Amino acid sequence: MGSLDVAPTWASIFPHGDHVVLGGGQRRSDDTTPDPAEEADVIARCAAIEPSLAGAEVLGHRVGLRPGRAAPRVAAEWRGDALVVHNYGHAGNGVMLSWGCARDAAALALGAAPAA
């Protein structure tokens, strides 16, 4: 299946107001150049779930690097006089987890106190 290391068996459809974000690629690479074959495959898999997507206008393609951990890190720590809020390691779950993790990170930034 082209440049994919593992053939994805999933598709994601995320409505965002006036546009929809489609996903489902799982290429293991640090290259962020869009792959036309992978793009077509993602659209086809998403259109199989929601047929109206088959004829939708494509506004653009983006490839992101999604570093992951066993669990995302959302934590605050003091480094000298500076509060550092960590919010990373979401892997392919970034879109799904972004609202909740951003809420938690903001709460840490607003309410964290320096360790005694």
Side-chain angles (χ1 to χ4, degrees):
M1 178 173 245
S3 62
L4 297 176
D5 288 342
V6 177
T9 58
W10 54 275
S12 58
I13 303 169
F14 296 101
H16 284 271
D18 63 348
H19 66 281
V20 177
V21 175
L22 307 181
Q26 196 169 344
R27 182 174 18 155
R28 305 247 187 248
S29 172
D30 60 0
D31 179 8
T32 58
T33 305
D35 178 343
E38 187 174 2
E39 294 167 0
D41 188 52
V42 167
I43 293 169
R45 283 184 280 117
C46 290
I49 296 167
E50 177 48 62
S52 66
L53 294 171
E57 177 186 3
V58 176
L59 301 177
H61 295 281
R62 294 190 181 114
V63 177
L65 303 178
R66 293 172 178 82
R69 301 165 41 97
R73 182 176 185 200
V74 181
E77 68 175 301
W78 287 92
R79 293 197 177 176
D81 293 338
L83 176 65
V84 177
V85 177
H86 302 275
N87 184 3
Y88 63 87
H90 301 83
N93 296 311
V95 173
M96 289 186 290
L97 300 176
S98 63
W99 290 96
C101 290
R103 179 201 61 223
D104 293 349
L108 289 169
L110 295 172

